[in-house]
Amino acid sequence: MADRKLFAGHAVRRLRRQAGLTQAAMSDVLAISPSYLNLVERNQRPLSASLLVKLAESFDFDPRALAAGEPGGGESAIRRRLADPMFVDLEIDRNEVEEWLAGAPGGAEAFARAYDRIGSGAGAGAAETNDPVAEVRREIERWRGHFADLDAAAEKLADELRLGAGDLYGAIAERLRVKHQLTIRILPVDVMPDLLRRLDLHARQLQLSEMLDPASRTFAAAFQLAQIEARGEIDALAKGAAFTDRAAERLFRRHVASYFAAAVMMPYARFLRACEATGYDLELLQRRFGAGFEQVAHRLTTLQRVGARGLPFFMVRIDRAGQASKRFSGTSGSPLAEGEGRCPLWRVHHAFDRPGALAVQLVELEDGARWLTIARTVTPQGRRYGAVPAEFAVGIGVAADLGNGLAAARGIDLKGEATPIGLGCRACLRERCPQRSAPPAGRALLINERERGVSPFTFGGD
């Protein structure tokens, strides 16, 4: 994926206009032809590495602006908004979205802002505007789930810790003790019945519950180290996000601190090499890096380092009711992560029937996009007998045409038969589906008292 094409015409056009240059003048500075620059700005040519370097040298251009400044958050974010049932009858495809972003980036940004402020007719968008979780998710989307400076700092720290000891948890504990005068203390569940982690500054202790498994203990210790040693990077990211809501800022800080902790446990270069060598074997990666399934799944969505990209995975975590508590699309652009609705035919729901087992499935959406997906249940840490038996299913996936060589794809014909699914009944136009629970939004419901089909709902066309 290192040669993945980068289209960023909107960013180049904005940079040129800020500099007050014509295309001819800017092309002279960059030593390229005006016609080539015109194609780049219209997203008809990718931004090459050499041109990116020239932009950085000639205009003090920060390459991170490519991830953080796309109109409306980029193609995947625009498509997520268009997945709203109110647009279902328009049948806007991926090519139309790409052309819109290339030809009218200002209009796409205006649409995104208006949708986020006004939302659907039910007022969902307006509610989302004031939702700190949705606000944080939009900021994560702006970065495509990858924070380069934070990742680099975590990787450097991980290398230092590995030189000191083979046991990562022990190395982190020693660093906290020696460098920051913090000791780790494992406390009985009776002492911390409702907490898994607590920082006691008076006692200079990081207190962890005995209910945490080894992977979660390491993560908790690395999270504390992130809050101390990555404070500068975290402060910069939070400041750049310019949250107006204090809760959103705190939630975002927790996310990037968790990102740093995961990057210490699974350092970028080593983790990517292991992914490629094992065919992204999730269970093997868990054992090799001492991490949990959900930690590995989330890490897969962040492998977007320039020049060393991993496969573009998405991830979603749902409960038995289908409610999503985590959604990360990375650069996959998958509506399976972006959309609010999910199809019961997708095996992420079936994972609850076989706790701990992997459910692999090839699915095909209405637009013909095919995805290789993997799902498994996870249980929150701290579960006790007699308590609420919480359980979630984590689903990850990658475009089927990128799935060759994956461990999960062995024995599966990625060009063969796939399970046809939708994005929830209200957004799905598939006819004759016996699993349908509601007619699609925007379509007239047809009732024929003399007939009864396999689907309880028959609907009209446009």
Side-chain angles (χ1 to χ4, degrees), residues 296-319:
V296 171
H298 185 192
R299 186 60 169 147
L300 290 178
T301 71
T302 70
L303 302 181
Q304 303 302 323
R305 178 175 289 177
V306 175
R309 299 183 188 275
L311 292 178
F313 278 89
F314 71 83
M315 170 191 158
V316 62
R317 188 182 74 177
I318 65 170
D319 60 17

Side-chain angles (χ1 to χ4, degrees), residues 5-8 36 40 43-48 51:
K5 294 181 179 179
L6 175 63
F7 293 90
Y36 180 70
V40 169
N43 278 350
Q44 294 184 4
R45 291 291 185 277
L47 191 61
S48 66
L51 183 53

Side-chain angles (χ1 to χ4, degrees), residues 131-153:
D131 180 359
V133 176
E135 198 172 346
V136 169
R137 184 167 185 266
R138 285 194 293 271
E139 182 63 17
I140 296 170
E141 281 183 353
R142 285 209 313 133
W143 291 93
R144 292 294 184 268
H146 175 72
F147 302 95
D149 292 346
L150 208 60
D151 227 317

Side-chain angles (χ1 to χ4, degrees), residues 173-316:
E174 182 68 6
R175 189 177 183 99
L176 286 171
R177 185 185 68 82
V178 174
K179 191 171 182 178
H180 305 293
Q181 293 74 54
L182 279 174
T183 58
I184 297 180
R185 186 179 179 188
I186 309 300
L187 294 178
V189 67
D190 294 336
V191 177
M192 292 204 316
D194 301 314
L195 292 174
L196 299 177
R197 170 179 55 85
R198 177 172 59 198
L199 177 63
D200 187 336
L201 289 175
H202 179 73
R204 302 300 298 173
Q205 289 181 351
L206 172 62
Q207 300 168 347
L208 303 180
S209 170
E210 65 179 343
M211 298 299 290
L212 292 175
D213 63 21
S216 298
R217 288 186 186 183
T218 303
F219 184 87
F223 180 90
Q224 185 60 55
L225 203 54
Q227 291 187 311
I228 300 172
E229 299 199 12
R231 179 177 297 175
E233 291 87 349
I234 293 173
D235 286 346
L237 287 167
K239 183 179 179 181
F243 291 111
T244 57
D245 184 271
R246 181 61 176 160
E249 181 182 335
R250 288 179 174 175
L251 186 60
F252 181 70
R253 285 177 177 274
R254 187 174 73 179
H255 174 83
V256 291
S258 298
Y259 182 104
F260 185 92
V264 168
M265 293 178 66
M266 296 167 275
Y268 195 101
R270 276 192 281 147
F271 186 72
L272 179 58
R273 285 197 299 270
C275 287
E276 294 174 341
T278 65
Y280 290 79
D281 188 322
L282 276 78
E283 294 180 326
L284 187 54
L285 292 171
Q286 282 182 253
R287 298 186 182 95
R288 186 169 297 184
F289 290 91
F293 180 84
E294 186 174 338
Q295 292 169 344
V296 171
H298 185 192
R299 186 60 169 147
L300 290 178
T301 71
T302 70
L303 302 181
Q304 303 302 323
R305 178 175 289 177
V306 175
R309 299 183 188 275
L311 292 178
F313 278 89
F314 71 83
M315 170 191 158
V316 62

Side-chain angles (χ1 to χ4, degrees), residues 85-92 429 441-443 462:
M86 78 163 90
F87 304 123
V88 69
D89 62 311
L90 300 179
E91 299 181 0
I92 300 173
L429 298 177
R443 295 298 174 95
D462 296 344

